[in-house]
Amino acid sequence: MPKRELTSAQDGSQTEKAAKVQVECKEDSSLSNVATMDKTTPRTPEKTEKRKDYLSWDEYFMAVAFLSAQRSKDPSSQVGACVVNPEKKIVGIGYNGMPNGCSDDELPWARHAENELDTKYPYVCHAELNAILNKNSADIKGCTIYVALFPCNECSKLIIQAGLKEVIFYSDKYHDQPNCMASRKLLGMAGITYRQFKPKASEIVIDFTSIDGPPSNPTLSVSSP
């Protein structure tokens, strides 16, 4: 009887050992499968070099001007402006709109009317004016202004008086109008350079969801006025 109990104990021990061996074999097999998967599953290569499709300074600041224009209430023309200092820092942003304290629900937005007082022109502040007055620096002399439209003569007067050194514009669609002709004359006499911005692409897409993963549908397009 004692021998049979001993044999049973030995059998139980051998069974436990066999079970352990099976578990170890399964673990080894799983590790082997993982190793095989690591060898066969392609991995997305890590990007270690800097991006080459980033925005240039001109693209960046002009895009800021166009983005600020989206704040304008003007139904026919949304214009933005961005003032940048020599250190490539933004010191002023503005868009066309009515003066502070003057309701843009009560003042007219029409471009044409029998009475000029029923149009927007006697009341609206241009983007350049607002960008210069919204400056966050005591002095903006020597700065550059980026603006969607070539500035009119009134805005050029302000640009000259503020001491800006350069005007970078996108559209010159009013080139042959007297106010733009006078503007070029004033800027030239004051020694302020101006040049037209030539984008590499027609639009810049801002996708808010791209920060959480691959780019999806665009939420905002910045294009010509």
Side-chain angles (χ1 to χ4, degrees):
M1 191 69 178
K3 284 185 178 181
R4 293 180 63 184
E5 290 179 355
L6 181 60
T7 302
S8 297
Q10 289 175 345
D11 290 343
S13 177
Q14 290 176 355
T15 301
E16 290 178 1
K17 289 180 179 179
K20 288 181 179 179
V21 170
Q22 289 180 352
V23 171
E24 289 175 356
C25 288
K26 288 182 179 179
E27 290 178 350
D28 290 343
S29 176
S30 298
L31 292 173
S32 177
N33 290 336
V34 171
T36 303
M37 289 177 62
D38 287 343
K39 292 179 181 178
T40 59
T41 304
R43 292 185 177 181
T44 303
E46 181 183 0
K47 296 180 179 180
T48 58
E49 297 182 359
K50 74 175 185 180
R51 288 175 55 225
K52 296 182 179 180
D53 57 345
Y54 56 87
L55 297 178
S56 68
W57 284 119
D58 278 356
E59 290 171 327
Y60 173 59
F61 295 129
M62 188 61 77
V64 171
F66 271 78
L67 182 61
S68 66
Q70 299 303 308
R71 281 285 307 156
S72 175
K73 312 296 194 316
D74 193 327
S76 58
S77 181
Q78 301 83 45
V79 182
C82 177
V83 180
V84 180
N85 70 14
E87 297 178 349
K88 303 295 184 184
K89 295 178 181 178
I90 296 174
V91 294
I93 297 175
Y95 53 88
N96 57 316
M98 298 302 177
N100 292 335
C102 301
S103 174
D104 50 31
D105 291 319
E106 298 178 13
L107 291 173
W109 287 106
R111 298 184 64 187
H112 307 286
E114 292 184 4
N115 188 338
E116 186 180 1
L117 292 177
D118 293 328
T119 70
K120 64 180 179 179
Y121 298 111
Y123 314 104
V124 73
C125 296
H126 285 186
E128 299 94 323
L129 168 67
N130 282 328
I132 291 172
L133 293 180
N134 289 340
K135 66 182 186 297
N136 58 16
S137 174
D139 188 2
I140 57 174
K141 289 182 179 179
C143 290
T144 297
I145 187 167
Y146 289 79
V147 62
L149 288 174
F150 187 84
C152 69
N153 59 314
E154 293 299 326
C155 288
S156 286
K157 294 175 187 177
L158 184 59
I159 288 169
I160 293 169
Q161 295 300 89
L164 301 182
K165 70 170 186 178
E166 185 178 23
V167 175
I168 300 176
F169 62 95
Y170 176 79
S171 175
D172 195 19
K173 63 181 179 180
Y174 300 121
H175 181 274
D176 295 326
Q177 291 193 3
N179 63 347
C180 285
M181 295 172 67
S183 179
R184 289 193 297 273
K185 185 174 183 178
L186 289 171
L187 293 175
M189 293 177 69
I192 296 176
T193 61
Y194 54 88
R195 61 181 173 88
Q196 190 167 22
F197 168 66
K198 300 292 186 181
K200 292 183 293 186
S202 62
E203 65 178 21
I204 295 173
V205 176
I206 298 177
D207 179 8
F208 290 115
T209 64
S210 64
I211 197 67
D212 292 322
S216 58
N217 294 328
T219 56
L220 177 64
S221 294
V222 182
S223 54
S224 60

